[in-house]
Amino acid sequence: QKEVEQNSGPLSVPEGAIASLNCTYSDRGSQSFFWYRQYSGKSPELIMFIYSNGDKEDGRFTAQLNKASQYVSLLIRDSQPSDSATYLCAVRPTGGFKTIFGAGTRLFVKA
Amino acid sequence: NAGVTQTPKFQVLKTGQSMTLQCAQDMNHNSMYWYRQDPGMGLRLIYYSASEGTTDKGEVPNGYNVSRLNKREFSLRLESAAPSQTSVYFCASSRVNTEAFFGQGTRLTVV
């Protein structure tokens, strides 16, 4: 079992819809969770981070964390064509340094 | 403020050749990382350095060596390049329990 798993997609949503991206992780000691966006040919850039169970909102983005289920998700409201990218889920244990990434989910937002 | 700088951006090697990828950060981060990214595989951790003077293996360390030269610099060396090491390499840095900032990547082709 991979340490961090994501559906590779592609996930296709129409402009203005909600895109839902999911991630599961295997290490119960994980404490820090990150979502990165990566455009083709570019380096990953941070969108959201979440440390506590529940929801965290930042503009059109909402990160959701459920440690009991070892599940973290990213919701993108009012999706725009510019949101089309690969979204990477990353997980780090408490006090740890070894950030592990999922394989990423490709998102296409159709105009 | 340059962030994380990697050199070179592109490189073609012949099988068996050696080379060193350079990485420097100017954000005073303690931790630094080397990842490789292959299609469908996401980012895989090669080596990381939690702090100056320490280095540890990640998920895929075979065929690589690293040096944490000082707090700013973290280099990755391929002693005898193989076609399987054709990939995009990313260097990143972070503080403890915070997000990682990535360099622009090095596209390496081994023929």
Side-chain angles (χ1 to χ4, degrees):
Chain A
Q1 180 189 4
K2 292 182 68 175
E3 293 187 60
V4 180
E5 297 212 45
Q6 296 181 253
N7 186 325
S8 63
L11 173 66
S12 184
V13 301
E15 184 174 359
I18 296 175
S20 178
L21 305 163
N22 305 313
C23 172
T24 58
Y25 59 95
S26 60
D27 184 357
R28 285 195 172 274
S30 300
Q31 292 293 327
S32 305
F33 306 88
F34 308 91
W35 282 101
Y36 288 81
R37 177 177 62 200
Q38 186 177 26
Y39 293 114
S40 180
K42 302 296 185 181
S43 56
E45 56 181 344
L46 182 77
I47 298 176
M48 296 279 294
F49 62 89
I50 186 166
Y51 301 147
S52 304
N53 273 331
D55 295 1
K56 180 181 179 182
E57 186 174 319
D58 184 0
R60 296 188 295 113
F61 299 96
T62 299
Q64 299 174 316
L65 175 62
N66 183 326
K67 290 184 180 178
S69 300
Q70 296 174 246
Y71 177 92
V72 58
S73 65
L74 179 70
L75 300 178
I76 306 175
R77 290 181 299 281
D78 189 24
S79 295
Q80 301 297 310
S82 59
D83 294 325
S84 298
T86 295
Y87 290 79
L88 301 166
C89 172
V91 175
R92 186 184 297 167
T94 303
F97 306 93
K98 194 175 153 181
T99 304
I100 302 298
F101 283 78
T105 298
R106 287 177 296 156
L107 172 67
F108 292 105
V109 181
K110 299 173 292 185
Chain B
N1 188 339
V4 180
T5 303
Q6 292 181 233
T7 55
K9 290 186 174 58
F10 301 93
Q11 184 70 50
V12 178
L13 289 178
K14 293 182 179 179
T15 297
Q17 286 185 317
S18 63
M19 80 161 294
T20 299
L21 280 64
Q22 306 287 354
C23 176
Q25 52 93 8
D26 61 6
M27 295 176 284
N28 201 34
H29 288 166
N30 287 321
S31 303
M32 297 186 73
Y33 313 83
W34 277 105
Y35 290 91
R36 61 177 288 174
Q37 188 172 38
D38 304 293
M41 301 294 291
L43 287 160
R44 291 185 291 170
L45 184 62
I46 304 171
Y47 272 94
Y48 65 101
S49 172
S51 60
E52 186 179 355
T54 68
T55 61
D56 285 284
K57 295 178 180 179
E59 302 168 270
V60 289
N62 291 344
Y64 305 94
N65 285 301
V66 291
S67 295
R68 183 73 182 267
L69 304 170
N70 47 55
K71 190 171 186 178
R72 291 187 64 249
E73 298 172 289
F74 188 39
S75 63
L76 178 72
R77 183 161 178 84
L78 287 70
E79 291 290 353
S80 178
S84 61
Q85 294 178 305
T86 293
S87 188
V88 180
Y89 291 85
F90 287 101
C91 177
S93 70
S94 76
R95 293 190 183 89
V96 177
N97 286 339
T98 65
E99 74 274 21
F101 292 85
F102 285 83
Q104 72 272 44
T106 297
R107 292 186 178 274
L108 175 66
T109 302
V110 183
V111 298

